[in-house]
Each structure stands twice: as C-alpha cells, then as structure tokens.
Amino acid sequence: MTLDEIISARHSVRAFDPDRPVTQEQVSAMCEAARLAPSACNSQVWRFIAVTDPEQRRRICARGMGPILRNKFMRAAPLIIVGCAELDIIANKIGTKFTGIEYYQLDMGIAMEHIVLKATELGLGTCWVGWINEDNLREILGIPGHVRVMALLAVGYSTETVSPKRTRKPLRKIVFRDGWGAPFPE
Ligand SMILES: Cc1cc2nc3c(=O)[nH]c(=O)nc-3n(C[C@H](O)[C@H](O)[C@H](O)COP(=O)(O)O)c2cc1C
C-alpha cells in the first residue's frame, strides 16, 4: 500500500472479530512503527501496554472508560494498546518550561498514529479511545503515578458491513496562506 492508500483506508473501526487474534509479529511491527516516531528532544516518552489477556481486557472495558460513553464496541477487540507517557523525562520537561507547550502530548499523538497507520497497512482496524478513566486504568494495569495514561487503541480485524463516512472540513477552512485567515487557493 502507498502512504496515500493507507491514509485513505484508515478510519475508526468499531466492529471487531473477537475470534481473530492479532499476532505477536503484528504487535511488534506496530510498536516498531511507534518506536521510530519523532519526539521533542528525542525524549521518547511513550510506553505501550499491549493487552490481549481476556480478563484484563474485560476489566479495561468495564472500568477503564469515561462516564456515559462506554465505548462498548471495545469488548470485541482482541487487542487493546494502552498509550502511556513517562512524565519524569527531563529532556521533555525542559522545553515545556520555556514554551508552555506540553510536548509529551504531541509525542504521544504522533507515536500512536504511527501504530494506527501501520495497523492499517497490516489489514487491521483500529479505533482511538480517549474517553477513558485514567485512575481506573492505572489501577487495573499497575501503572505508576508519574506515568500518564493518554489514550487507548482498540485493534483487530474489522467486521464492519457499511462503509465509513468521512466528514471533513474543506481545505479552505483549515489552511491559510502566509497569515491567519488569508485564503489558501485550492
Ligand atoms: C484522541 C482521540 C480520541 C478519540 N476517542 C474516541 C473514543 O473515546 N471513542 C470513539 O468511539 N472514538 C474516539 N475517537 C475516534 C474519533 O471519533 C474519529 O477519529 C473521528 O470521528 C473521525 O472519524 P474517522 O477516524 O473514522 O476518520 C477518538 C479519536 C482521537 C484522535
């Protein structure tokens, strides 16, 4: 697949085949894609927990979600990748001190999207899940206090029957030329 094909094929999958596992090789390939991601000061704050154990997945789905929206589709996902950020890495903190920008959040987003794109190339479906209960996830997974849980990725083979909708703003609404608000010719 070309990069364009991967980007076009990627969409949020919310229907998974619970009986078709993701192999260890696939997990390694996805995590390798994350490992090669850029990060502020090359601080590599990311840590990932690849959860396949049915009991742990059940706990995550039962208690690891945010209120109201429970992301029930996750129960069928054979793999949940938990994206964590080590906060006590000095290289990442120094920049934030000067600019106020939380670089670890950018770094996590990039690395996790590398996982998503690699998964797409491998024929796997994914869905980002940011509506989480961080404290419960920390308890379920034994994650220490200086580590933030940023988001989860549900991963597995899609059983979707309808094509996804791609609702996106047009380029002219999101890109400016040379200054804020100046139209960018399409
Ligand atoms: C940081 C982040 C958090 C998200 N959290 C959730 C979530 O908790 N539940 C969910 O069903 N989708 C979640 N999504 C998926 C978005 O709803 C989805 O990406 C968006 O609607 C665009 O659709 P597409 O991914 O199919 O292109 C999240 C996406 C991102 C990037």
Side-chain angles (χ1 to χ4, degrees):
M1 284 173 101
T2 65
L3 182 60
D4 272 354
E5 286 167 343
I6 293 169
I7 289 171
S8 305
R10 189 227 53 88
H11 62 277
S12 294
V13 169
R14 297 187 180 86
F16 295 100
D17 183 346
D19 301 319
R20 202 167 162 201
V22 178
T23 66
Q24 179 59 34
E25 290 70 32
Q26 289 172 320
V27 175
S28 298
M30 288 184 275
C31 293
E32 176 65 7
R35 195 178 74 86
L36 296 178
S39 60
C41 294
N42 199 22
S43 52
Q44 304 167 66
V45 294
W46 46 70
R47 304 290 178 266
F48 299 103
I49 307 175
V51 184
T52 51
D53 177 67
E55 193 49 32
Q56 278 295 67
R57 286 192 283 119
R58 194 196 57 72
R59 289 190 194 103
I60 290 172
C61 295
R63 298 182 43 241
M65 297 300 119
I68 306 160
L69 175 70
R70 293 290 176 184
N71 288 312
K72 286 187 185 155
F73 67 88
M74 283 188 68
R75 293 176 193 165
L79 169 68
I80 297 171
I81 297 180
V82 184
C84 305
E86 279 264 10
L87 292 190
D88 60 359
I89 294 178
I90 196 81
N92 204 274
K93 285 206 277 198
I94 289 172
T96 302
K97 225 177 164 47
F98 287 104
T99 66
I101 296 169
E102 299 282 4
Y103 293 103
Y104 77 91
Q105 299 186 358
L106 295 172
D107 298 344
M108 288 304 300
I110 296 166
M112 291 183 75
E113 189 62 8
H114 274 208
I115 292 178
V116 164
L117 295 175
K118 185 67 192 178
T120 308
E121 190 194 37
L122 294 171
L124 293 162
T126 58
C127 188
W128 275 85
V129 172
W131 192 248
I132 56 172
N133 183 317
E134 189 178 7
D135 288 340
N136 284 357
L137 285 171
R138 205 178 265 128
E139 185 208 313
I140 294 163
L141 296 155
I143 297 168
H146 67 280
V147 173
R148 286 214 70 182
V149 187
M150 304 299 296
L152 313 179
L153 296 173
V155 187
Y157 287 93
S158 170
T159 56
E160 284 175 336
T161 47
V162 285
S163 321
K165 273 195 256 141
R166 307 307 292 277
T167 328
R168 291 295 190 271
K169 295 180 170 66
L171 270 190
R172 72 188 146 72
K173 294 250 182 204
I174 61 167
V175 187
F176 307 132
R177 171 73 83 188
D178 299 329
W180 182 265
F184 182 88
E186 276 184 59

